[in-house]
Amino acid sequence: MHREHLIDTAPGVRLWVEERGDADAPALLLVMGAQASGLGWPDALVDALAAHHRVIRYDHRDTGRSTWSYETKPYAITDLADDALAVLDRLGVERAHVVGMSLGGMLAQLLIADHPERLHTATLIGTCALSTTPYTRPDGTVVPVEELPPIDPRILAMWADRPADLDPDAELDWRVEHWRLLNNGGVPFDAEAAREAERRLIAHTGHARVSTAHGQADHSGMLRTEALAATAVPTLVVSATAEPVFPPPHAQHLAQVIRGAELVEIPGMGHALPAPVLEPLAKAILGHTGG
């Protein structure tokens, strides 16, 4: 079953939400990354998960069909975690499996730390730890958090030099090249599939504007070092071997700082969800959730 809603999560904030799967199945909440609509979760992955779960995905504020309000009413990143919890509240979900990617993985960590009673499990993809605990390499050497690898400079340059007021074709060209870099060569890149996904997203949103709200929003107050080290929420960390935004060993570090976390490697995966990684990713998530 496929159900769509517009849900009020805060004063003046309304989010587009979609549900798939049996309404009586265990709920699974998908939380996307910065500037990313819920449509960033490919239908093939959503449907694979929906065979076993009531899958919920949604558009963050300032993405897709949700309220675009940052310019007139700024908010903090922690407010986006409150939105995720409010989606569950409005849908009557007491506890859910939560899967977060990139910024969504950070929001999932906030839920692990602050609302563990609302989570059955958590799965974290393409993200970094909200912790000051250093990383210990297999050889025993210790690496401070600030010395972990940075974002690929090619991606930083592309973000910094993004042209304004691109015509529709040039906008799609820019987005496809962006996905090429995020894919990072670990698996074959399908440019036409990326272009079609972006056409669909633009149609869903109703325009081709891209908000910078999540980059501008207040990122303070997000560290959860002690809570993550003490959590009882079963957590799976996905290690993407070609990840360019949070390169290895960020995933290994994340698995160290979250108590009891398990690590699963998806060879060739970058900071994207192309077709070749969807089957192993769905298998890993469902293995963790018991689906």
Side-chain angles (χ1 to χ4, degrees), residues 33-187:
Q35 271 74 248
S37 155
L39 264 62
W41 297 103
D43 283 348
L45 177 63
V46 176
D47 288 339
L49 300 176
H52 304 272
H53 289 286
R54 174 189 180 186
V55 178
I56 303 162
R57 63 176 172 174
Y58 66 98
D59 291 343
H60 290 298
R61 305 183 194 193
D62 290 276
T63 75
R65 295 181 186 173
S66 292
T67 300
W68 289 53
S69 60
Y70 186 84
E71 295 303 325
T72 56
K73 190 177 180 182
Y75 49 82
I77 292 298
T78 52
D79 291 325
L80 299 182
D82 292 339
D83 282 347
L85 198 65
V87 167
L88 297 180
D89 289 342
R90 303 299 183 269
L91 294 178
V93 176
E94 292 185 9
R95 295 183 75 190
H97 301 278
V98 174
V99 179
M101 182 165 184
S102 196
L103 175 64
M106 299 178 198
L107 301 180
Q109 290 177 70
L110 294 177
L111 297 180
I112 291 170
D114 299 345
H115 302 281
E117 75 286 352
R118 302 298 299 275
L119 274 61
H120 288 302
T121 69
T123 300
L124 310 176
I125 307 165
T127 193
C128 65
L130 302 183
S131 172
T132 58
T133 302
Y135 170 59
T136 302
R137 292 192 182 106
D139 65 5
T141 57
V142 175
V143 182
V145 172
E146 59 271 19
E147 294 181 16
L148 289 172
I151 298 172
D152 187 317
R154 298 172 302 163
I155 294 172
L156 289 176
M158 195 167 187
W159 289 348
D161 299 334
R162 193 185 202 286
D165 301 320
L166 294 172
D167 65 47
D169 287 339
E171 173 67 24
L172 284 171
D173 289 343
W174 189 95
R175 295 187 185 198
V176 169
E177 184 57 28
H178 183 228
W179 282 119
R180 187 188 305 276
L181 289 181
L182 292 176
N183 193 69
N184 204 28
V187 297

Side-chain angles (χ1 to χ4, degrees), residues 207-233:
H207 57 77
R209 299 192 308 276
V210 177
S211 172
T212 58
H214 300 164
Q216 298 177 61
D218 181 2
H219 284 64
S220 66
M222 291 179 63
L223 286 175
R224 296 292 187 275
T225 303
E226 292 79 12
L228 293 174
T231 188
V233 175

